[in-house]
Structures are given as C-alpha cells and as structure tokens.
Amino acid sequence: MAPQQVHNHTIHLLPLKDDGSPDLPGEPPYIYLPPPTHPSYSIRFQIDGTSSICRQGSLWVNIPGKGEQFDRKAFKEHTLKPSFNDSIKIDIPIYTAGAFSFYCTYTPLPPLTTDKVDTPKPTQTPTYYIDVCPSLHAQKSRIPLDGLSVISCLSKFMGKYPEDWDRHLHGISERGYNMVHFTPLMERGDSNSPYSIYDQHTFDK
C-alpha cells in the first residue's frame, strides 16, 4: 500500500476485489499503515463500479472519526453506487492508531437461467483487518516499531519496590533494552500465577 500524494494530502490505496477482499499480496493480506500524522492521511477504498459488491452494496468500517472514541462494534456505512464508467473511491482519514476492521454487504446476482429461482438474500463478506501503527517516543525522540528491544519480566519475581525494582531496571537498561513488558501486576489468586488474577483493581503488595 504505497502512499500517493493528492493535492498535498497523503492517501494509501486499498483496492478491493469483486468479492470484497483486499486486492493485495498475501493470504490473507496484511494491511499495515504508518502512525497517524498531522495533517491526517487517508486510506482510500477503491472498488470497480461494476463489481458484484456494488449491487445494493455497502462498505462498513469501524475506523473512528476525529475526536471520536473507538467502539469495535460501531461500524459506519458507506453506500456503494454502481457505475459503468468509474471506480468507487471512499476516503477515510486516520486519526488514531489501533486495529480496525471492515466488511461489505451486498445482494448477489441470481443465477443465469430460464428456470424460476429464488431471489438471492443479502450477503456479508468476511471481516478484514487494518493495523495502524502507534507512534512511540522515548526522551522526546520517536522510536520506530522495528527499533524496539523488548524484555519480558515476571512481575512477581521483581522483589521489593522500589529498591529491588531500581536494581533490575538499571540492569535491563545497561543491556540495551528500551521497553519492558510486565506480566500482570495485580493481586494474584491461589495458584500464584501472574495470569490468575484475584482482584484486577488491586496491585500486588
């Protein structure tokens, strides 16, 4: 999905096939976009105007608008109007990082026959996913995702806070890591596993 410049506005093109799936390499294709920018860039869904999914069709996307809270179940409908002359272009600006999804609904054509057939029922395509990369910073400098060096720590073995933690974190820093992944820090249950949480609202003492 190489970006294009359209009137000083960056657009990432996402063509869709006749079945509503992304026309990109991979099975299934992985749609990965860079961090949000200022001004925002857009993802452009492009669909052939004679595509089957344009027959009483709609594109449904849960990418939030500017200032909106993300709701995974809140999909916005974009009507697909058939055209014999043009492709359909739907531009959606990207304001926030996250994992988003889209699908199409349409009514298939009836089979070509002289016999009497039932009218096809509306159909929904599979759901496809779009990952928008977060923008990460450390000491006011941006860190690209492939620049992360991550170490995982079992929180229950970190010792007393803060003296043991300071010692561990200093050693982690000396070894060149720039991100720490902790197992859950909450109060644990009887098994004492970090993933067996007794109270998700209380930090372990």
Side-chain angles (χ1 to χ4, degrees):
M1 292 182 60
Q4 304 174 354
Q5 289 294 127
V6 180
H7 304 298
N8 295 323
H9 181 64
T10 302
I11 291 176
H12 291 261
L13 182 64
L14 176 54
L16 300 185
K17 297 179 183 177
D18 196 52
D19 61 0
S21 65
D23 192 7
L24 297 172
E27 192 57 47
Y30 179 53
I31 305 168
Y32 180 78
L33 295 174
T37 57
H38 299 285
S40 64
Y41 67 82
S42 293
I43 181 170
R44 172 173 289 175
F45 293 85
Q46 184 165 303
I47 304 150
D48 192 300
T50 59
S51 171
S52 297
I53 59 172
C54 294
R55 188 171 187 266
Q56 299 174 5
S58 293
L59 170 70
W60 301 82
V61 186
N62 68 357
I63 296 174
K66 188 174 184 179
E68 293 179 351
Q69 288 277 47
F70 173 58
D71 180 351
R72 189 165 300 282
K73 297 180 180 179
F75 285 82
K76 295 178 183 176
E77 182 180 12
H78 303 268
T79 303
L80 305 177
K81 295 182 180 179
S83 172
F84 286 102
N85 301 314
D86 299 307
S87 59
I88 300 167
K89 300 179 181 70
I90 298 171
D91 290 354
I92 298 179
I94 303 296
Y95 295 106
T96 185
F100 309 112
S101 53
F102 70 92
Y103 62 88
C104 294
T105 55
Y106 67 102
T107 301
L109 287 168
L112 186 60
T113 177
T114 56
D115 297 330
K116 185 177 180 180
V117 295
D118 294 332
T119 303
K121 295 180 179 180
T123 298
Q124 179 176 319
T125 68
T127 299
Y128 302 97
Y129 297 92
I130 299 169
D131 280 346
V132 178
C133 174
S135 183
L136 302 176
H137 294 79
Q139 297 176 346
K140 298 183 180 180
S141 296
R142 183 174 173 270
I143 304 176
L145 283 190
D146 57 6
L148 291 178
S149 179
V150 185
I151 186 171
S152 290
C153 289
L154 281 168
S155 54
K156 67 179 182 179
F157 295 142
M158 289 290 288
K160 292 185 180 294
Y161 181 85
E163 56 269 23
D164 290 334
W165 283 59
D166 287 344
R167 179 167 52 83
H168 284 305
L169 293 173
H170 179 75
I172 289 169
S173 176
E174 288 292 305
R175 293 197 295 273
Y177 292 100
N178 59 16
M179 180 173 280
V180 180
H181 161 245
F182 287 108
T183 56
L185 302 167
M186 282 63 206
E187 187 176 347
R188 298 183 295 278
D190 289 341
S191 71
N192 201 34
S193 165
Y195 297 100
S196 174
I197 297 173
Y198 177 76
D199 184 354
Q200 70 269 28
H201 298 293
T202 304
F203 283 113
D204 180 78
K205 62 181 183 294

